[in-house]
Amino acid sequence: MESLEYYAAWLMLKTLGALPSGVARSVGVFVARALYAMLPKLRRTADFNLRLAFPDWTDTQRKTVIRGMLRNLGWMAAEFAHLPRYTKENIDQIVVLDGHENFLAGQRRGKGVLYLTGHIGAWELSSFAHALYGYPLRYMARPLDNLRVDTLINRYRGLSGNKPIFKNESARLLLKILREAGTVGILADQNTMPGEGMFVDFFGTPACTTTGIARVALHTDAAVVPGYAYWDQEIGKYRLRFEPAVELARTGDTERDVFVNTQRFAKVIEGIIRKHPEQWVWLHARWKTRPKGERPLYDFLK
């Protein structure tokens, strides 16, 4: 089964990578829509999440966002397959920098940068493009069960100079990178188990959210700079947008500061999603972990 999964992933990447960009995007969207149609639990999860996040929306609004999300996922697959085509000379034809002074300001502090991001827009392309612009990073990665597929994916990700930090080496290596004023990218928009997170407000509902970013930022004084690449229809390119570094709360009460800053980071991610709801992955059971004694929200996933 692992060999079949690997060859399927390899064939998909090579096929999409050989196609012109527009064709590859169309094929990616077709596959995304087909898979969505065949997987009822994904459809229910997306619909549930949108109803939870935007209770006042109409059915038409939700359907419009889901169509946009599927297009975004299809395009993401195409962009990932085309990563070997992108170079320092041509990256500005697909990705432009926006608010880059915010990243540079965080970098100038000399304590390292925590690149706060999520599964928004072309998240795989964002860090890849930034490396081609001259700013490679290390990214937190959870190894896939299929090691051959994991190796294949990380080989593509690393073509521009980025390198992974795996969970078993994360703490010591992450601190070393920040001490050397490096940059670490962290996806911070997924459900977290209680032992690794805290419940903070996310679209009006408590969501278990990683506290790792807050703990590391408080310990190292690294700049927490939000960054994300979204599709800008007006210019026909992705904008790699950087927001100003998030100001950290420091009261001396460590656990209180961790909670307050984790909440701030979650609100930053929420604000980005509200601007571009069709470019976030609503398929993820973001609110799956519940406070002790509270009923499950995703009964249909059992």
Side-chain angles (χ1 to χ4, degrees):
M1 281 303 298
E2 287 194 356
S3 293
L4 286 174
E5 289 173 355
Y6 169 76
Y7 287 118
W10 181 89
L11 182 62
M12 175 64 77
L13 281 176
K14 295 301 181 182
T15 300
L16 288 178
L19 295 172
S21 179
V23 178
R25 287 174 175 175
S26 296
V27 172
V29 173
F30 174 81
V31 173
R33 288 174 177 170
L35 290 173
Y36 185 76
M38 291 187 294
L39 298 171
K41 287 186 178 180
L42 287 185
R43 297 199 302 273
R44 292 192 66 181
T45 300
D47 183 72
F48 178 88
N49 287 341
L50 282 166
R51 289 178 184 274
L52 186 69
F54 300 103
D56 297 330
W57 275 14
T58 64
D59 289 344
T60 299
Q61 286 174 300
R62 287 191 293 274
K63 289 177 181 178
T64 298
V65 165
I66 288 173
R67 282 197 301 271
M69 176 194 69
L70 294 174
R71 190 192 79 159
N72 185 68
L73 288 174
W75 283 27
M76 256 287 302
E79 307 303 356
F80 190 85
H82 281 195
L83 291 183
R85 296 187 179 193
Y86 300 139
T87 66
K88 295 178 181 179
E89 291 70 36
N90 67 17
I91 191 60
D92 61 346
Q93 297 175 24
I94 186 71
V95 180
V96 297
L97 298 179
D98 185 11
H100 198 240
E101 66 276 6
N102 294 318
F103 174 84
L104 296 177
Q107 192 181 56
R108 283 195 297 270
R109 286 167 49 172
K111 301 293 183 67
V113 175
L114 291 169
Y115 183 149
L116 177 67
T117 190
H119 295 81
I120 301 162
W123 68 89
E124 293 282 6
L125 183 56
S126 63
S127 56
F128 191 93
H130 202 217
L132 291 179
Y133 273 110
Y135 304 92
L137 54 68
R138 301 297 291 266
Y139 58 91
M140 301 294 291
R142 187 183 299 274
L144 300 175
D145 293 334
N146 189 320
L147 294 181
R148 295 181 70 186
V149 174
D150 188 68
T151 300
L152 176 65
I153 290 174
N154 282 303
R155 182 166 62 81
Y156 268 65
R157 288 170 172 167
L159 291 173
S160 64
N162 295 330
K163 296 180 181 179
I165 302 175
F166 295 114
K167 191 172 183 180
N168 60 350
E169 62 179 355
S170 60
R172 182 177 297 178
L173 181 55
L174 189 153
L175 293 176
K176 179 177 183 293
I177 293 165
L178 294 176
R179 281 198 301 269
E180 296 172 352
T183 301
V184 178
I186 304 177
L187 293 158
D189 61 343
Q190 290 196 316
N191 182 64
T192 305
M193 299 307 293
E196 301 175 359
M198 288 181 172
F199 286 94
V200 297
D201 180 85
F202 191 62
F203 282 95
T205 299
C208 197
T209 304
T210 179
T211 59
I213 304 171
R215 294 186 189 281
V216 170
L218 288 167
H219 179 73
T220 64
D221 202 30
V224 181
V225 180
Y228 56 101
Y230 69 96
W231 179 255
D232 187 331
Q233 188 64 41
E234 291 187 4
I235 64 172
K237 297 180 182 181
Y238 292 97
R239 283 189 183 274
L240 177 48
R241 170 69 189 171
F242 291 95
E243 304 292 349
V246 181
E247 183 178 349
L248 296 182
R250 290 183 180 276
T251 66
D253 183 337
T254 300
E255 290 306 301
R256 177 63 182 171
D257 289 347
V258 168
F259 173 81
V260 171
N261 289 310
T262 299
Q263 178 66 82
R264 288 183 181 180
F265 303 153
K267 283 299 177 183
V268 168
I269 296 293
E270 178 182 325
I272 296 168
I273 296 168
R274 286 185 179 276
K275 290 179 184 176
H276 311 283
E278 76 289 351
Q279 296 190 45
W280 193 53
V281 183
W282 293 96
L283 305 173
H284 172 65
R286 178 64 182 91
W287 292 270
K288 185 175 182 179
T289 300
R290 304 314 308 142
K292 188 175 181 179
E294 187 175 311
R295 67 176 183 83
L297 294 180
Y298 301 90
D299 291 334
F300 53 87
L301 294 180
K302 294 180 180 179

